[in-house]
Amino acid sequence: MRAQFVLSEIGVGLRRNLTMTFAVVVSVALSLALFGGSLLMSDQVNTMKGYWYDKVNVSIFLCNKSDAESDPNCAKGAVTEDQKKTIRADLKKMQIVDSVTYESQDDAYKHYKEQFGNSPLAASLTPDQMQESYRIKLKSPEKYLVIATAFNGRDGVQSVQDQKGILDNLFTLLGYLNWAARLVMLVMLSVALLLIVNTVRVSAFSRRRETGIMRLVGASGFYIQAPFIMEAAVAGVIGGTIACAFLVLGQYFVIDHGVALADKLQLINFVGWDAVLTKLPLILAASFLMPALAAFFALRKYLKV
């Protein structure tokens, strides 16, 4: 009988404050969708780091005849065969080096034509203007400075470049976007909590006569507060369910099908359904506990029992 009474009071409260309940549901749904999205963004960045850092190369570009005339690093002339052999031998001795690949001027010219063949500059370039290079794959990409320190300034070396630096800039940008999403999520969450407190306050005020009678007949504090707490919790769970639906639909229609980014951007290793499904229980738990706790503390101020 008590459970039936509590459930009936929940229904009455939700219907009585329908517009505010709707606002709570929408705010909770948007804030928790952003929360889940930010968690997935963190997973995505970590997945991309693991995928791309494993493919990072350090490139040692060697001086050619053009560099010898214009680049201070190549003031001693173009790289010689002996210098190339010495550089390769020294690379082979380094324990942090996983593999070394040599790219000749002809290979560099071929790769450039493949990538930028439509540019006006490509028509004027010749193979002898390209740079020979060694592409080094490291066992630990973060140890790039060991290579840079060992080979920068050597005779025949024009520059040492690390692709990790380019990736770091990309991941830094993604990190900023992720924090921006979290900031918006916190703002929306604050709005949702304020709406929950106001909804509970209005509901408690509109039913002050009923709660007064319940006090007179000896009802416990929890028995009086339960309907108000459950109203907020039910509205929150509805919002959390909508947030979960947003994430599931986003994964299905944006990543896997529909827009199908996974097929169009094959260079990006997108997170899968396992990452999405592990976030749903967390979102649902937050959608229940957050409004329930907000209602509980609001009742301590607005509903004296």
Side-chain angles (χ1 to χ4, degrees):
M1 191 66 183
R2 288 186 176 184
Q4 184 178 358
F5 170 77
V6 171
L7 291 174
S8 65
E9 286 295 300
I10 292 172
V12 170
L14 291 174
R15 289 193 300 272
R16 188 176 292 178
N17 303 305
L18 190 59
T19 54
M20 294 190 73
T21 299
F22 178 76
V24 169
V25 169
V26 172
S27 299
V28 170
L30 291 177
S31 61
L32 290 181
L34 286 170
F35 172 63
S38 67
L39 292 179
L40 289 174
M41 175 68 81
S42 296
D43 288 351
Q44 181 64 61
V45 170
N46 290 332
T47 299
M48 289 174 65
K49 281 183 178 180
Y51 178 78
W52 283 108
Y53 280 169
D54 188 55
K55 301 179 182 298
V56 160
N57 288 323
V58 176
S59 297
I60 298 178
F61 290 99
L62 306 178
C63 298
N64 59 21
K65 292 181 181 179
S66 299
D67 294 330
E69 299 172 359
S70 58
D71 195 317
N73 293 333
C74 300
K76 295 183 179 181
V79 66
T80 65
E81 288 298 323
D82 288 339
Q83 288 171 345
K84 285 191 284 187
K85 290 178 182 178
T86 302
I87 292 171
R88 186 179 185 90
D90 289 345
L91 285 170
K92 289 289 188 179
K93 293 176 185 177
M94 302 182 77
Q95 294 182 351
I96 63 170
V97 173
D98 187 33
S99 62
V100 179
T101 304
Y102 170 72
E103 184 177 75
S104 66
Q105 289 180 306
D106 289 335
D107 291 335
Y109 179 75
K110 179 182 177 182
H111 293 156
Y112 184 88
K113 294 288 284 186
E114 289 174 353
Q115 296 180 30
F116 308 104
N118 295 326
S119 68
L121 182 62
S124 61
L125 282 177
T126 58
D128 63 295
Q129 293 175 296
M130 306 302 293
Q131 290 175 308
E132 300 171 87
S133 64
Y134 285 111
R135 310 286 172 155
I136 304 113
K137 184 165 179 9
L138 301 179
K139 294 177 182 177
S140 300
E142 63 274 8
K143 294 183 178 179
Y144 148 75
L145 287 176
V146 176
I147 301 293
T149 303
F151 293 95
N152 263 329
R154 271 206 188 190
D155 293 345
V157 175
Q158 190 266 338
S159 64
V160 181
Q161 294 184 8
D162 177 29
Q163 294 175 347
K164 183 175 178 290
I166 300 172
L167 294 177
D168 282 342
N169 292 334
L170 171 62
F171 293 137
T172 299
L173 175 61
L174 292 176
Y176 287 148
L177 293 176
N178 193 23
W179 280 109
R182 291 181 182 180
L183 180 61
V184 175
M185 178 269 293
L186 288 175
V187 172
M188 292 299 300
L189 197 58
S190 300
V191 171
L193 291 174
L194 290 174
L195 283 170
I196 290 167
V197 170
N198 280 333
T199 301
V200 171
R201 182 181 181 182
V202 170
S203 183
F205 181 80
S206 65
R207 283 184 276 176
R208 62 191 183 282
R209 184 165 176 248
E210 292 95 324
T211 55
I213 294 172
M214 292 173 70
R215 286 194 205 100
L216 290 175
V217 298
S220 66
F222 176 77
Y223 188 65
I224 296 173
Q225 292 178 352
F228 299 101
I229 295 174
M230 291 308 297
E231 283 175 28
V234 168
V237 169
I238 294 173
T241 302
I242 295 173
C244 290
F246 283 155
L247 294 183
V248 170
L249 292 174
Q251 179 71 21
Y252 184 83
F253 287 106
V254 178
I255 305 300
D256 294 340
H257 304 88
V259 180
L261 291 181
D263 293 331
K264 294 178 181 178
L265 301 175
Q266 296 184 5
L267 291 177
I268 298 178
N269 188 24
F270 287 99
V271 295
W273 280 101
D274 54 338
V276 176
L277 295 178
T278 55
K279 305 299 181 293
L280 302 187
L282 181 61
I283 291 174
L284 290 175
S287 70
F288 177 83
L289 292 174
M290 179 190 70
L293 291 173
F296 174 76
F297 288 109
L299 288 169
R300 296 182 65 180
K301 180 177 181 180
Y302 298 117
L303 184 63
K304 304 297 183 182
V305 294

